[in-house]
Amino acid sequence: TTKTNRSRMAQLLAVVVSFYFFPAALGALARKNVVFLVVESTDGRTWREGYSNDVIPLPTIRFLQSQGASFERHYSNTPVCCPSRATFWSGRHAHRIPHTSALGGLNVGGVWNNYEGLPEDYDERIDQILQRNGYATKLTGKLDFTTGGHSENVYLDAWTKYVQFPYDIPAGGGFYTEIPDEQCHSNGSVYEEEQFQEDWDATEEALSFAKNAPRPWFVYTGHKIVHPPYRTSDKWSAVIDRDKVTLPKWIPPNEMHPCDFQHSMRKGCLPAAANETWFYDADRIKEVRAVYYAMIAEYDAIVGRYVDELWDNSSTVFVVTSDHGDHQMEHQATYKMSPYDASASVPLVIAPLGLTTVVTIPTQLVDLKPTVLDIAGLAAPDDADGLSLLPLARGDAFHRDFVVSQFHGTSTWCQSMSVNVISCNYYV
């Protein structure tokens, strides 16, 4: 009958609709959610087991490492905030990000200093590609990947400051390009109250989104904690055993390499005669490092909030790293901006992966874009400079001769273009 025929046609149409649309829905359910966390200024060595007598309690990081891959020779492609973030969001080296600078409309060949980053109309960031491919996305906390994000003095410092050779120590102990507490003239500050509530708030904002977003989703949080000035609260200071904190080796200024001398001087890390005894006091130097470690310990607890709320061991992958390191008083310096491991190496853990592995082949931040896209089942763009790290984590074939870290900007090592081709442990 006509009614029966209509019923059969409706059933057939339902089958056809299911054939076309159910696989797509199933695919969306199968695609991995991604938690992408980037903390400031974290020396990659500090997450390694055994570092400084295991002075930093890292229960969350240790859990993630036990569930996936940790990368022990991971490097920032340009060890300073904005340029570094521009490289990993774009997947391109610093010298391959041409743009029009926000200052004066100059055409700039790359992200050479901390005033430069991605052009404002750039639309190929990791999150933008994922969003175009069906992901719900949320960015919270520190972004800092666009040109013009820092003050103009950063731009001017990068191109106009020059220190003549031979170098002389100014009466005040060096040029201060940042506030003194962010440099070597610090005791490390411990306060009664919480110092990084902004990071905890950004965390809760990201968690609220992830728990209510349609799948698949991508959440990113940039955490400011660990960035100088070196400060912490009583709670987190108490977890660091000062007896485990090691003292970095400082050599007399007249024995320093000229580039190291300039680097220390530009950061205010050479003492004036009036405060030389205080400046070289071993307990003061160790206390600054202890406060730095306390910030890392608190960050571990912040990551723990994401694990507590979002860990499911099957549909969500965590990618946790940093934008650059920090000298933490090594090489008589603070901050980043040099090719030494303290400055250029950064931690990286990806989990869960169904295995536990420690990767010692050099990797770099530009690898993160292809890696996150690979997690999402997407191919990297043809212009990407990095490689997906998933094959390497699984033990599959992976060939790379070197990675590159480059920088030209304020307080830099020799105040020039510093390019570190990392193929061995030359810089330590």
Side-chain angles (χ1 to χ4, degrees):
T1 64
T2 300
K3 184 176 181 180
T4 301
N5 290 338
R6 286 178 178 174
S7 177
R8 288 175 177 173
M9 289 180 66
Q11 292 172 355
L12 179 60
L13 180 61
V15 170
V16 171
V17 169
S18 297
F19 178 79
Y20 280 104
F21 290 97
F22 181 72
L26 186 62
L29 290 174
R31 298 170 73 186
K32 301 289 188 181
N33 305 315
V34 180
V35 178
F36 185 30
L37 307 179
V38 179
V39 65
E40 272 279 359
S41 304
T42 302
D43 178 346
R45 301 168 302 171
T46 60
W47 287 14
R48 298 178 190 173
E49 291 197 48
Y51 174 81
S52 191
N53 308 304
D54 288 314
V55 64
I56 311 172
L58 297 170
T60 305
I61 297 302
R62 294 288 176 258
F63 170 74
L64 291 174
Q65 290 172 335
S66 74
Q67 300 296 308
S70 54
F71 296 78
E72 293 198 341
R73 296 186 67 197
H74 196 58
Y75 290 90
S76 172
N77 294 105
T78 175
V80 69
C81 301
C82 189
S84 177
R85 292 165 185 270
T87 61
F88 67 70
W89 281 109
S90 67
R92 303 179 73 172
H93 284 297
H95 64 277
R96 295 229 308 129
I97 307 178
H99 61 281
T100 301
S101 174
L103 185 64
L106 298 174
N107 292 323
V108 181
V111 288
W112 305 125
N113 62 72
N114 211 14
Y115 195 76
E116 302 306 337
L118 297 176
E120 293 184 359
D121 60 352
Y122 187 81
D123 63 359
E124 291 292 324
R125 293 193 317 265
I126 298 169
D127 62 303
Q128 293 169 318
I129 294 175
L130 291 176
Q131 190 173 54
R132 290 196 293 268
N133 283 274
Y135 271 73
T137 64
K138 180 69 172 180
L139 310 183
T140 69
K142 182 173 181 176
L143 303 181
D144 195 22
F145 45 61
T146 304
T147 179
H150 284 73
S151 60
E152 292 188 5
N153 79 289
V154 173
Y155 173 89
L156 296 172
D157 279 352
W159 298 106
T160 63
K161 281 202 172 183
Y162 178 68
V163 181
Q164 292 185 337
F165 184 89
Y167 310 113
D168 294 316
I169 303 176
F175 298 115
Y176 294 95
T177 58
E178 305 284 349
I179 61 175
D181 281 348
E182 297 189 8
Q183 305 296 342
C184 289
H185 286 68
S186 168
N187 289 317
S189 301
V190 179
Y191 300 91
E192 181 178 349
E193 64 276 6
E194 170 61 49
Q195 294 297 294
F196 298 100
Q197 189 59 49
E198 183 180 0
D199 285 325
W200 288 97
D201 292 344
T203 295
E204 296 306 316
E205 181 183 357
L207 293 177
S208 177
F209 172 84
K211 289 187 289 185
N212 294 285
R215 298 191 174 209
W217 47 256
F218 167 88
V219 294
Y220 161 86
T221 306
H223 293 101
K224 297 180 180 179
I225 190 172
V226 189
H227 194 292
Y230 303 111
R231 66 197 190 280
T232 190
S233 63
D234 289 332
K235 173 183 177 180
W236 294 105
S237 175
V239 307
I240 303 300
D241 182 351
R242 268 55 174 180
D243 290 337
K244 291 184 176 180
V245 179
T246 58
L247 186 69
K249 180 181 179 181
W250 285 10
I251 63 176
N254 62 350
E255 296 180 14
M256 296 172 71
H257 186 284
C259 290
D260 285 328
F261 189 105
Q262 178 181 347
H263 184 217
S264 294
M265 182 172 62
R266 289 296 309 280
K267 290 183 172 179
C269 289
L270 295 176
N275 65 358
E276 193 171 78
T277 301
W278 167 85
F279 186 83
Y280 284 110
D281 181 75
D283 290 337
R284 181 191 75 85
I285 297 170
K286 289 177 67 174
E287 181 62 17
V288 173
R289 286 165 71 86
V291 170
Y292 177 74
Y293 298 152
M295 293 191 289
I296 296 174
E298 182 175 357
Y299 179 66
D300 181 90
I302 291 174
V303 178
R305 284 289 299 132
Y306 293 86
V307 173
D308 290 344
E309 296 291 339
L310 303 178
W311 183 268
D312 62 16
N313 207 34
S314 60
S315 63
T316 302
V317 176
F318 286 70
V319 179
V320 191
T321 189
S322 181
D323 56 349
H324 50 72
D326 187 285
H327 285 92
Q328 46 149 331
M329 306 298 269
E330 291 187 12
H331 302 284
Q332 198 159 327
T334 57
Y335 260 58
K336 51 275 186 177
M337 307 168 186
S338 89
Y340 289 118
D341 267 12
S343 165
S345 70
V346 292
L348 173 64
V349 60
I350 302 174
L353 293 176
L355 50 79
T356 302
T357 185
V358 176
V359 176
T360 57
I361 294 174
T363 55
Q364 54 193 337
L365 285 178
V366 292
D367 293 329
L368 294 185
K369 182 175 181 177
T371 301
V372 172
L373 294 180
D374 195 2
I375 292 170
L378 300 172
D382 292 338
D383 66 354
D385 292 322
L387 302 171
S388 172
L389 299 179
L390 295 189
L392 180 60
R394 292 191 295 258
D396 296 341
F398 186 94
H399 177 75
R400 168 177 282 154
D401 294 323
F402 58 85
V403 298
V404 174
S405 182
Q406 57 186 309
F407 177 64
H408 181 170
T410 55
S411 301
T412 190
W413 198 70
C414 264
Q415 192 62 19
S416 63
M417 175 62 76
S418 173
V419 179
N420 186 17
V421 179
I422 301 160
S423 59
C424 61
N425 288 316
Y426 183 77
Y427 292 110
V428 294

